[in-house]
Amino acid sequence: MSLITPTRTPVDGTEMLEPDLQELARTVRAFADDVVAPAAYTYDTERRLPLEIIAEMGRMGLFGLPLPEEYGGQGKSYLHLCVAVEQLARVDQSIAVTLEAGLGLGAMPIYRFGTEEQRRAHLPALARGEALAAFGLTEAEAGSDAGATKTTATLSDGWWTINGSKQFITNSGTPITSVVTVTAVTGERVGRDGRRGPELSTIIVPVPTPGFTALPAYDKVGWHTSDTHPLVFDGVRVPEENLLGERGRGFSNFLSVLDEGRVAFAALCVGAAQGCLEQAVLHAKRRVVFGRPIGDNQHIAFTIARMQARVAAARAVMHDAARRIDAGAPFTTQASLAKLIGSEAAVANASDATQIWGGYGFMNENPVARHYRDARILTLGEGSTEVQLGIIARSLGFDRAFG
Ligand SMILES: Cc1cc2nc3c(=O)[nH]c(=O)nc-3n(C[C@H](O)[C@H](O)[C@H](O)COP(=O)(O)OP(=O)(O)OC[C@H]3O[C@@H](n4cnc5c(N)ncnc54)[C@H](O)[C@@H]3O)c2cc1C
């Protein structure tokens, strides 16, 4: 007799959430299973962002979850966004990152640092999912060292002129991309140590604007459905009032944007780890080898138990970081912990799930195979593992451990 009770499902972490978060998790889970999952392989092979699915997510209010109602949002917490991202990532990381980057990196900086006019101009369409926003920080020589930005913005006669390039920018070239917020050198400043350095600021570039080009999309290892482009800014002119936040505060502003976005990114990692866990349980219970389900072997059952442990730990740390954001408490270290633990859980679970699925785990039509490819970016994007370790080390007093 099989040792496994087929009706038992993995703990999905929603049991202790408040009722409206549980309701959101159920709704998004059903949408993910019924609408996103069946189409995921098609979009992955076509390498195109399914705008009809994005529009449906917009109608569900997902793109406005943490934004106030006065800007077209749902007035919910950051944890609501994390719960939604997690449920989508269970079945499709590309769809999940479109929401995570669109809101966490695209819309939230405009909400956090924007003027009333900027909020009213951009947020309602973004909150409805009718438009997408991108955040352009990374350059050829400014990735982990994001302060090494070379792109310049020069102010003259009430206009910024932007020259330079960005790379790997999510949501930057879709037919509904309405805005790209970029970091640029706007002058020179004297630091606390008396040394001169670049003054960095953040500027809103509406799309389209003459001189702005999204070059052809990258041929990526994974996240095929997510939209990622190199960007060129060739004499792009935008009005002075497109400065986002204070001039010269670009560096500290984007660090806080990254901290916050990292928590939603951690939710994506948790969802991916959970999706792999569920696929592993499913296959281990029904795949019969040597006359019995492979899950009857202690090695397989214990591998899956460890997958469950990883995802439960990652989710707990992610929830803690999200609740800190919502409480207005410091969360930089917790965001890095959540991103570090979540990404490593997702990579490990994707590898274990592939092993458990055997040869079919290596076939692209298998969701486990897609998770395996997609998970590779998770320890690199939104601050690599080493960046997270550097932030955590700094919180322990090791100020010179990174950079
Ligand atoms: C699919 C995708 C989507 C992305 N979306 C966006 C986006 O929307 N917006 C955006 O601005 N960026 C985006 N990025 C960029 C991403 O955030 C960067 O790729 C990432 O921050 C790493 O930067 P890098 O690629 O320049 O690597 P590098 O900074 O060159 O680092 C290379 C390696 O060296 C390690 N390293 C660097 N310095 C140290 C050190 N001091 N000690 C130890 N190790 C170190 C790094 O951890 C990494 O492993 C995206 C990237 C991808 C692939």
Side-chain angles (χ1 to χ4, degrees), residues 62-68 74-78 80-81 103 108 111:
L62 301 187
F63 281 92
L65 278 171
L67 294 169
Q74 305 296 314
K76 301 288 185 185
S77 68
Y78 204 80
H80 281 80
L81 170 63
L103 240 175
M108 288 310 273
Y111 171 56

Side-chain angles (χ1 to χ4, degrees), residues 105 135-139 142-145 167-170 220 223 228 377 380-387 402-403:
L105 297 182
F135 185 66
L137 174 66
T138 306
E139 300 184 2
S144 305
D145 184 7
Q167 65 181 16
F168 309 144
I169 309 305
T170 304
K220 304 191 293 281
W223 280 11
T228 327
I377 179 62
L380 291 166
E382 263 182 80
S384 65
T385 292
E386 291 74 19
V387 168
F402 186 85

Side-chain angles (χ1 to χ4, degrees), residues 162-165 205-206 208-214 231-237:
I162 307 171
N163 284 293
S165 59
V205 178
T209 296
F212 167 83
T213 312
L231 305 179
V232 175
F233 300 81
D234 183 9
V236 170
R237 276 164 58 82

Side-chain angles (χ1 to χ4, degrees), residues 118-138:
Q118 289 170 338
R119 289 170 167 186
R120 294 207 178 279
H122 299 290
L123 293 182
L126 297 174
R128 289 193 299 269
E130 292 166 5
L132 279 173
F135 185 66
L137 174 66
T138 306

